[in-house]
Amino acid sequence: MANYVSVFLVSLSAIFFVVDPIGIVPLFLTMTAGDPPEKVRRTARRACAVAGGLMLFFALFGGVIFKVFGVSLAAFRVAGGLLLLVTALDMLRARASATRTTPSEQQEGIEKEDVALVPLAMPLLAGPGAIATVLVLMARGGDDPVAMALVLASVAITFAASYLVLRGAGLVQRALKASGVAVLERVMGLILAAIAVQFMADGVKELWRG
């Protein structure tokens, strides 16, 4: 039982921190500036639904990628850990991660009429780091259906929470202000960095034994 609690807590924290809906709040407000409240809510709902669906798809069928490309779980853990570490370091410096979106993509999003799918759902919410995280977490669960179900539940909870954060983006920004968002980003980045190092350590140990 304690092991499942640990799996759930690690999965939920890793997925939530790498998706980082609070860090997306300023971009979301910029991209939806001038939109009526109903359209803002609809944009947040569509973005989270699509991103969540994409993450669940990779969680359920990502194992095929290992077989098709002949990639070992250990190698993917190291690669996923490195990608997470880059994201975590950017969070610690309170700046947008280039692994999620580039300035040109952000500008395109601001100018687009519909931003729910691109760039909000992909790559801001369900970016490469988030997809790599869920793949590694599912692989760590092995053939244990309970552990896999806990990872899937973590994805669902993360995107339900992300919708609530984006729906109330204006309130979140007013409550935390720029300095509060930066502090929270750094705290989440520190925890995410520790998870990334653990991913890499597990992968290196498996590669060494192999």
Side-chain angles (χ1 to χ4, degrees):
M1 182 64 182
N3 181 55
Y4 288 138
V5 172
S6 175
V7 168
F8 176 69
L9 291 177
V10 170
S11 299
L12 183 59
S13 58
I15 295 171
F16 184 83
F17 292 159
V18 75
V19 170
D20 188 19
I22 295 174
I24 296 171
V25 163
L27 279 174
F28 180 78
L29 290 173
T30 302
M31 292 177 183
T32 57
D35 290 346
E38 178 55 37
K39 184 177 180 181
V40 173
R41 289 193 293 270
R42 187 168 64 249
T43 299
R45 184 168 59 248
R46 289 181 62 209
C48 292
V50 171
L54 188 64
M55 292 276 285
L56 290 172
F57 173 82
F58 276 101
L60 292 170
F61 303 107
V64 177
I65 296 175
F66 297 129
K67 296 179 181 178
V68 170
F69 292 100
V71 177
S72 69
L73 170 58
F76 200 86
R77 281 182 176 174
V78 175
L82 285 171
L83 187 56
L84 278 187
L85 187 59
V86 171
T87 302
L89 292 175
D90 284 332
M91 291 172 70
L92 285 169
R93 288 176 287 185
R95 72 181 192 186
S97 175
T99 63
R100 293 170 60 142
T101 182
T102 62
S104 61
E105 288 173 327
Q106 293 178 15
Q107 184 61 36
E108 183 182 350
I110 293 170
E111 297 169 354
K112 284 183 64 174
E113 185 68 23
D114 184 6
V115 298
L117 301 184
V118 178
L120 281 176
M122 178 73 182
L124 284 174
L125 289 170
I131 291 172
T133 300
V134 79
L135 282 171
V136 172
L137 289 169
M138 287 294 285
R140 287 180 73 185
D143 296 324
D144 188 340
V146 176
M148 295 170 70
L150 290 174
V151 176
L152 297 177
S154 298
V155 172
I157 292 170
T158 292
F159 284 99
S162 297
Y163 168 67
L164 295 176
V165 170
L166 294 182
R167 179 173 175 169
L171 293 175
V172 172
Q173 189 174 54
R174 285 195 295 272
L176 296 178
K177 304 190 185 311
S179 58
V181 171
V183 169
L184 198 57
E185 283 270 291
R186 289 185 173 96
V187 172
M188 292 191 298
L190 182 60
I191 297 173
L192 189 62
I195 293 173
V197 171
Q198 186 62 56
F199 279 2
M200 288 188 289
D202 292 343
V204 169
K205 282 192 292 186
E206 288 185 27
L207 287 172
W208 182 262
R209 288 198 299 265

